[in-house]
Every structure is written in C-alpha cells, then in structure tokens.
Amino acid sequence: MAEILIVADRDAAGELAARVVWEYLDGVPEPVLGVATGSTPEPLYRELARTRGGRDLSRLRAFALDEYVGLPAGHPESYREVLRREIVEPLGLDPQHVHVPPADAASLPHAGERYEAEIAAAGGVGLQILGIGSDGHVGFNEPGSSLASRTRVKTLTEQTRRDNARFFDSIDDVPRHCVTQGLGTIRDARHLLLLAFGAQKAQAVAAALEGPLSASIPGSIVQLHPHVTVILDEDAASGLGHADYYRDVARFKPEWQGW
Ligand code: F6R
C-alpha cells in the first residue's frame, strides 16, 4: 500500500516532497534520482533549491523519465532544457550526470536499449519522482501501455497533447512522439514519489490508487510497488474514497519510520 499524504496546497507538497528527497540524497553515497518534468515537480524543485544549503550535488546522477521526439536541440520545451533550467543550474548538478532519453532521429532505433543500459550502469534509480497525466499516464506511458514495458518510443494521446499545449505556441507544435521509460523500468526504481495537484488530476489519482490494476490506468502500477509515497493537494485527493483513513495514517505515523 502506498503511503498517501494529503496536504493543503502545492507549496506544502513541495516542502514535504523535498524532505523525502533530502532523506534519500543525504542517506546514500551514490544517489541516483529519477526526475519528472511538467508543472507538477516545480514546487519540489524550487524547494530543493531553497533548502540545498551547502550540499555539493555534483556527484548526483539523474535520469529523466521521457523526452519529446522531433524538437530541435536546445528547444526550450525539450525536457533536457527544462531540466537544465529547473534542476541542473539551481541545484549545481553536473550536466554530464543528468541523462535524458536519446530522441534524435539517428538514435531512435536503439534509444530504449541505450537508455536502459545507462540506468543499469548507474546501479538503477533509487528514488523516482513521478507526476500523473489527466489520462492516468506516468512517464509518457499512455493508457494501454504494457505493465512490463521498457524504455521505447510511444505516441502521445490527443488528451496529453492538449494538456501540454500550454507549454507551446499551439497544439500543432506539440510533438506526437516521445521516448519514455516503460512501466517496467519505472517499477524497478527502489522508491516511487508520486505527486499530483489540482482537480483535473482527481479522477486519474483515484483510479490509479483505488481502482483496479490496469494497463488502462498506467499510474495504477504504483499498486504493484512495495515502496511508494504519494503527496496530493486537497483538490487532487478529492476523488479518493479512503481519504480519511490516509489522513489517520499520516497523523499517527511513527516518528522512527522515515520515508
Ligand atoms: C513528465 C512526465 C509526465 C507528467 C504528466 C503530468 O516527465 O513524465 O508523466 O508528469 O504528464 O504533467 P504535469 O505535471 O505538467 O501536469
């Protein structure tokens, strides 16, 4: 069962998520962090930058969940650029240690195997930050993705392209394809930290956490994982049937337990 924490708003979620991330980063000598992009992790990344203190994070290795296919190198909405702005510079990471799935035309035929090999060579992901799409996707594993899938090229749904059009001049500029870690790849991370905010995520969150395990709701893979922390704001939690129980679990969480 995932540990589900419901907080007032995104800022409170960012603070709590940062505590989870620091507990991991401060606790292992060779941390490997899986990083999401999009709006959801922004309060977390801001809070990490604010609370970093004197930590030297140049040894931290990070792996992005996904990358768009077809954007020119340096495009501001390519996830490599987003990560440069949101974590590499603010946290003082070594850009050589921040990996993004290869998504240029020449790399595509072997992109999945190559990325999986890079993750394996780093010793696997210790803590994986996740958002969830309004259609239930995690990474860009759209509904119908195999629960055992590995990194590969996927086609984005129209709903995801509409949702992400806010980052582009028009929906026509949103790529149709991406390279994404698979659901099997994500499940291999030792700890999953799923964040979701806003009423537009409530249905996907309820389906992923309380509905049946199903390829139709890729986020439901969290039910298969032994170590999951979920942090939601009130709006994203509004569709949950057992919210009062989750609040009790959080209120009576033993101090020794850690994240
Ligand atoms: C991004 C990713 C996606 C997003 C999801 C939610 O790397 O893998 O699964 O987490 O699309 O996007 P936002 O956070 O923009 O609502």
Side-chain angles (χ1 to χ4, degrees), residues 53-98:
R55 290 175 176 92
D56 173 10
L57 298 176
S58 59
R59 289 172 65 81
L60 167 64
R61 278 162 302 168
F63 285 87
L65 279 168
D66 35 29
E67 177 59 291
Y68 290 117
V69 170
L71 296 183
H75 189 288
E77 294 308 326
S78 73
Y79 285 160
R80 182 175 293 285
E81 277 299 297
V82 170
L83 290 173
R84 185 183 61 72
R85 289 195 301 271
E86 294 188 356
I87 59 168
V88 174
E89 289 174 0
L91 295 177
L93 307 187
D94 178 348
Q96 307 279 0
H97 289 172
V98 179

Side-chain angles (χ1 to χ4, degrees), residues 17 64 75 82 111 124 130 145 214 259:
H75 189 288
V82 170
L130 293 172
S145 294
S214 163
W259 303 106

Side-chain angles (χ1 to χ4, degrees), residues 227-252:
H227 190 183
V228 183
T229 306
V230 181
I231 304 180
L232 307 170
D233 69 2
E234 291 286 349
D235 288 338
S238 59
L240 292 172
H242 303 294
D244 288 343
Y245 172 62
Y246 309 140
R247 290 181 214 277
D248 275 357
V249 173
R251 192 162 66 228
F252 299 114

Side-chain angles (χ1 to χ4, degrees), residues 129-153:
I129 299 160
L130 293 172
I132 186 166
S134 62
D135 65 0
H137 70 230
V138 287
F140 274 141
N141 294 281
E142 298 287 24
S145 294
S146 158
L147 301 181
S149 50
R150 311 301 306 186
T151 305
R152 70 230 183 277
V153 175

Side-chain angles (χ1 to χ4, degrees), residues 8-251:
D9 54 32
R10 293 166 203 240
D11 288 340
E15 283 171 30
L16 186 52
R19 281 169 50 197
V20 176
V21 173
W22 286 133
E23 183 176 284
Y24 168 65
L25 296 183
D26 292 340
V28 288
E30 302 279 340
V32 181
L33 189 64
V35 287
T37 44
S39 306
T40 303
E42 287 172 2
L44 164 61
Y45 296 153
R46 270 200 305 275
E47 184 64 9
L48 289 175
R50 194 183 72 78
T51 53
R52 177 184 155 205
R55 290 175 176 92
D56 173 10
L57 298 176
S58 59
R59 289 172 65 81
L60 167 64
R61 278 162 302 168
F63 285 87
L65 279 168
D66 35 29
E67 177 59 291
Y68 290 117
V69 170
L71 296 183
H75 189 288
E77 294 308 326
S78 73
Y79 285 160
R80 182 175 293 285
E81 277 299 297
V82 170
L83 290 173
R84 185 183 61 72
R85 289 195 301 271
E86 294 188 356
I87 59 168
V88 174
E89 289 174 0
L91 295 177
L93 307 187
D94 178 348
Q96 307 279 0
H97 289 172
V98 179
H99 302 257
V100 176
D104 57 289
S107 303
L108 283 183
H110 303 290
E113 290 150 51
R114 211 172 101 191
Y115 203 55
E116 293 280 337
E118 286 175 15
I119 295 173
V125 170
L127 176 64
Q128 176 64 59
I129 299 160
L130 293 172
I132 186 166
S134 62
D135 65 0
H137 70 230
V138 287
F140 274 141
N141 294 281
E142 298 287 24
S145 294
S146 158
L147 301 181
S149 50
R150 311 301 306 186
T151 305
R152 70 230 183 277
V153 175
K154 282 293 286 185
T155 306
L156 298 174
T157 62
E158 280 311 297
Q159 186 173 339
T160 297
R161 293 184 67 241
R162 270 198 308 277
D163 287 348
N164 286 8
R166 70 191 191 282
F167 295 112
F168 294 84
D169 289 339
S170 94
I171 188 169
D172 299 329
D173 297 335
V174 183
R176 289 195 177 276
H177 296 98
C178 64
V179 179
T180 180
Q181 287 190 31
L183 295 172
T185 319
I186 292 169
R187 278 175 54 198
D188 284 348
R190 289 183 277 282
H191 181 183
L192 304 180
L193 173 59
L194 172 68
L195 310 177
F197 312 130
Q200 74 282 11
K201 299 289 175 73
Q203 213 180 337
V205 164
L209 299 180
E210 295 183 339
L213 173 68
S214 163
S216 296
I217 302 289
S220 65
I221 54 136
V222 298
Q223 297 179 34
L224 285 176
H225 197 285
H227 190 183
V228 183
T229 306
V230 181
I231 304 180
L232 307 170
D233 69 2
E234 291 286 349
D235 288 338
S238 59
L240 292 172
H242 303 294
D244 288 343
Y245 172 62
Y246 309 140
R247 290 181 214 277
D248 275 357
V249 173
R251 192 162 66 228

